[in-house]
Amino acid sequence: MPILSAPSHPLSNDEVSRIRNDFPLLSSEMNGRPLIYLDSGATSQNPVSVLEAEQEYYEQRNAAVHRGAHTLAVEATDAYEAARTTVASFIGASPEEIVFTSNATEALNLVAYSLSNASLGLGGADARPYALGPGDSIVVTEMEHHANLIPWQELAARTGASLRFIPVDDDGALRLEEAASVIDGSTRLLAFTHASNVLGTINPVEELVSLARGVGALTVLDACQSVPHLPVDVAALDVDFMAFSGHKMLGPTGIGALYGKSKHLHAMPPFLTGGSMITTVTMERAEYLPPPARFEAGTQRISQAVALGSAVNYLVETGMDRIEEWERLLGERLVVGLEQIDGVRVLGPRAGQPRIGLAAFDVDGVHSHDVGQFLDSRGIAVRVGHHCAQPLHRRLGLTASTRASTYLYNTTDEVDAFLAAVADVRSFFGASA
Amino acid sequence: MSSDLESLYQDIILDHAKRRVGQGPLEPSSDASSVAASSATGESHQLNPICGDEITLRVWLAESRIERVVWQGAGCAISMASASVLTELVSGGTRDEMMEQLDRFRELMRSRGTIVPDEEILGDAAAFAGVSRFPARVKCAMLAWVALEEAVLAANS
Ligand SMILES: Cc1ncc(COP(=O)(O)O)c(C=O)c1O
């Protein structure tokens, strides 16, 4: 495979316009207006190369992987494993540390259920250090997506461990001074998000990992909103587990990944069981393959993995540094513009403070559903509701908000059109003074 | 496009979303003077988990007549206006009339814009006809009606 490299100059509107040509859906119309897609935080659009990679797989290589002697099966297996290698190198991991899952939610559940199984005594002596029980604690943060909260609530319920959280302040920032007391000798696991899907904040991974490490706790990073948008080197972050979803990074739905440090994946018992993850099976018991195969039971999402590999190549060729910088510019433009609109309250960091390219906000006197409907009539797609983060919204005194989230294919003109539309919302609904 | 938006957010709807007829305290004994001592009361809480819209509605019935409707809620303009319009429409009517209105409203909401509403029966609720062309918003318009139906059944049981 050729070594891909990206240009070094920053992204510009001109280059973004060329990038947009690669994304068929972006040139469509919505409600008679050119589509302005500002919901990539929920799911991103796909470049033609990704769509073609999936189709080409089905046209030329489709077979069951790791299960056949025929040439097609070998080619399918090669394509699947090449995708694993591509994804691994994208985040600075080795291929054995990447388990393909259907999405980040499944990746997080995989860790939770494997620990749960270890807590039942499965997995033998190797797995014993991963057992949780009464007296142990699991720590999350108050800003988590439900996907990185409920699996830990359930794990706590199954094992008798307690669940604690690091609170956020009125601006949504993690109260790190409290983290040091929430994380204590009882803490066995700390799960937190890298970048918040609501606030846009980037959490201090190093500080949190060092607190966890100090008490011997495992760390789980929800990288759904970071891996697609900024360069992530998991080895440098030094977390034990990391989860992300392919559909948020130009890939198809149905594919995501769990990164796990090799020593953990080798010691932990499986979550889903069945074919393709075993060595010897008798009527009474089974021996399991080493990771990552141990955690990939049954026929896998081969075409989706191949397409995800293609998506990663697209990102690498564009340059993650450049994408991060471009989205920082779009994010700043969003916040500066929103803060200037009467009756609009931006959640999370103020203008001038670091954030990824998204902004959630409340419009005084207008429910987010109505805001979203109004924007939709102008061809602008945003997310409305609680964005799978009810506790965070409750903490901020809201039940719902509206969120605009950008990606490498959004232009500053689109952000400006969005801001102009938001400025008209309150008068349409008769909410302005 | 924006004519669509205006067909969804009729002036009547935007007006009711602000006036919120019937929004008030829910204590069963509140304002007892206006309610006959013999009346039965029922309450229902409805939540739309997708958007977090919420309503708690209480109804007082006396001899099959709807004496009073009171509700508390939080949500979008469509759901709040629907609660307000419904309160005005059904208060003072009979239980049977209300059930007929509910059936007609539900039918209208499921029509995807194919039914011309009967204003004789639906009154201001006919203004919600445009909502039926936005399937994602039908639940918003139905929320208070579902609460009313459940509250009436609870009052009768
Ligand atoms: C921060 C965060 N975590 C987890 C998820 C869950 O991702 P998925 O639904 O693809 O599993 C999302 C996206 O919805 C997210 O934004």
Side-chain angles (χ1 to χ4, degrees):
Chain A
M1 177 178 299
I3 307 246
L4 304 170
S5 69
S8 56
H9 59 267
L11 276 174
S12 62
N13 277 314
D14 280 350
E15 194 168 350
V16 169
S17 300
R18 285 196 295 279
I19 285 176
R20 293 175 68 82
N21 294 331
D22 296 334
F23 292 78
L25 199 139
L26 292 181
S27 58
S28 55
E29 287 201 341
M30 193 161 74
N31 300 317
R33 302 278 189 108
L35 170 66
I36 295 182
Y37 188 73
L38 292 174
D39 198 18
S40 296
T43 200
S44 59
Q45 300 302 341
N46 312 101
V48 171
S49 54
V50 166
L51 305 174
E52 286 175 352
E54 190 157 0
Q55 181 159 4
E56 190 221 49
Y57 169 79
Y58 278 118
E59 286 176 356
Q60 298 176 22
R61 274 182 260 275
N62 185 33
V65 302
H66 298 304
R67 281 185 185 181
H70 56 78
T71 305
L72 265 187
V74 172
E75 285 185 6
T77 303
D78 284 351
Y80 183 62
E81 292 306 325
R84 192 193 307 280
T85 303
T86 302
V87 170
S89 76
F90 183 59
I91 58 160
S94 61
E96 319 80 70
E97 295 173 313
I98 298 295
V99 178
F100 281 128
T101 62
S102 55
N103 50 33
T105 302
E106 189 188 297
L108 294 163
N109 274 281
L110 189 165
V111 177
Y113 274 97
S114 176
L115 298 185
S116 182
N117 288 339
S119 308
L120 292 172
L122 300 174
D126 284 354
R128 211 159 292 142
Y130 296 87
L132 275 77
D136 291 335
S137 70
I138 299 166
V139 176
V140 296
T141 83
E142 203 174 5
M143 69 168 74
E144 295 312 311
H145 187 284
H146 298 160
N148 199 27
L149 170 61
I150 302 167
W152 309 121
Q153 291 176 346
E154 295 285 312
L155 177 62
R158 286 195 300 273
T159 59
S162 63
L163 182 74
R164 302 173 178 174
F165 65 88
I166 304 168
V168 300
D169 65 21
D170 294 343
D171 288 331
L174 275 189
R175 298 177 56 143
L176 287 171
E177 68 287 0
E178 292 202 26
S181 56
V182 175
I183 300 167
D184 66 14
S186 73
T187 305
R188 306 293 313 285
L189 182 135
L190 168 66
F192 63 102
T193 194
H194 193 180
S196 163
N197 65 313
V198 177
L199 305 162
T201 31
I202 300 164
N203 284 320
V205 179
E206 194 179 338
E207 219 170 316
L208 289 165
V209 166
S210 103
L211 284 173
R213 186 107 337 123
V215 298
L218 295 168
T219 49
V220 180
L221 190 68
D222 176 352
C224 276
Q225 299 295 341
S226 58
V227 162
H229 302 284
L230 26 130
V232 170
D233 179 348
V234 76
L237 294 176
D238 201 23
V239 289
D240 295 301
F241 301 95
M242 184 169 91
F244 52 99
S245 277
H247 69 94
K248 293 181 196 284
M249 49 192 288
L250 311 185
T253 54
I255 188 83
L258 173 71
Y259 159 86
K261 278 188 178 163
S262 228
K263 62 175 178 192
H264 299 316
L265 295 182
H266 272 278
M268 286 162 52
F271 161 36
L272 299 176
T273 55
S276 297
M277 48 79 70
I278 46 77
T279 52
T280 312
V281 179
T282 66
M283 282 317 292
E284 290 74 34
R285 43 174 285 111
E287 304 283 339
Y288 305 125
L289 281 167
R294 179 185 303 170
F295 299 100
E296 293 181 355
T299 301
Q300 292 297 300
R301 313 140 189 103
I302 311 165
S303 66
Q304 289 100 322
V306 168
L308 177 58
S310 166
V312 166
N313 287 339
Y314 191 96
L315 291 170
V316 171
E317 278 176 85
T318 309
M320 289 308 294
D321 291 323
R322 303 167 77 223
I323 293 170
E324 177 188 22
E325 199 182 322
W326 181 247
E327 286 192 59
R328 192 186 305 132
L329 187 146
L330 296 177
E332 182 69 10
R333 199 177 182 99
L334 278 174
V335 175
V336 168
L338 286 169
E339 282 181 351
Q340 279 166 11
I341 301 171
D342 248 9
V344 169
R345 166 189 167 202
V346 178
L347 312 185
R350 308 291 97 203
Q353 290 170 6
R355 71 156 61 227
I356 56 171
L358 66 80
F361 57 98
D362 178 52
V363 181
D364 188 31
V366 187
H367 191 273
S368 72
H369 237 175
D370 299 317
V371 177
Q373 194 83 58
F374 180 84
L375 296 177
D376 181 66
S377 75
R378 299 214 183 167
I380 303 168
V382 295
R383 175 89 190 257
V384 300
H386 50 60
H387 322 310
C388 300
Q390 284 184 23
L392 175 62
H393 276 84
R394 207 168 291 126
R395 171 66 183 84
L396 300 174
L398 300 168
T399 52
S401 63
T402 308
R403 180 187 72 188
S405 55
T406 67
Y407 211 175
L408 74 168
Y409 40 59
N410 289 116
T411 63
T412 57
D413 282 351
E414 288 183 306
V415 169
D416 293 348
F418 158 80
L419 292 169
V422 174
D424 291 341
V425 166
R426 292 186 78 226
S427 65
F428 179 84
F429 289 99
S432 33
Chain B
M1 29 127 277
S2 72
S3 65
D4 258 8
L5 194 67
E6 270 129 36
S7 82
L8 176 63
Y9 294 110
Q10 305 266 330
D11 285 345
I12 294 176
I13 292 180
L14 291 180
D15 179 53
H16 269 282
K18 275 198 243 108
R19 281 204 292 138
R20 302 201 176 185
V21 178
Q23 174 151 283
L26 285 166
E27 302 83 67
S29 61
S30 74
D31 201 6
S33 57
S34 70
V35 177
S38 60
S39 68
T41 168
E43 188 176 293
S44 164
H45 175 252
Q46 298 293 326
L47 171 74
N48 180 352
I50 297 164
C51 57
D53 282 8
E54 216 168 336
I55 191 165
T56 308
L57 183 145
R58 176 167 284 278
V59 64
W60 282 263
L61 285 174
E63 288 162 14
S64 312
R65 197 160 278 285
I66 295 174
E67 290 211 292
R68 192 159 174 254
V69 175
V70 174
W71 56 274
Q72 293 249 291
C76 64
I78 304 293
S79 66
M80 295 297 100
S82 189
S84 174
V85 165
L86 152 169
T87 304
E88 239 175 37
L89 185 68
V90 306
S91 296
T94 66
R95 183 182 179 283
D96 289 347
E97 283 163 357
M98 175 244 129
M99 285 300 177
E100 163 84 12
Q101 287 157 335
L102 169 64
D103 285 346
R104 292 297 184 94
F105 191 76
R106 189 173 268 141
E107 182 188 31
L108 178 65
M109 285 304 103
R110 289 176 178 163
S111 73
R112 295 250 173 168
T114 59
I115 291 183
V116 179
D118 184 342
E119 291 191 35
E120 284 289 293
I121 293 174
L122 286 178
D124 281 358
F128 289 82
V131 177
S132 70
R133 285 193 281 122
F134 295 82
R137 305 305 297 275
V138 166
K139 267 215 163 78
C140 311
M142 283 306 304
L143 196 70
W145 284 94
V146 171
L148 176 66
E149 181 178 33
E150 212 180 83
V152 165
L153 292 176
N156 279 338
S157 64

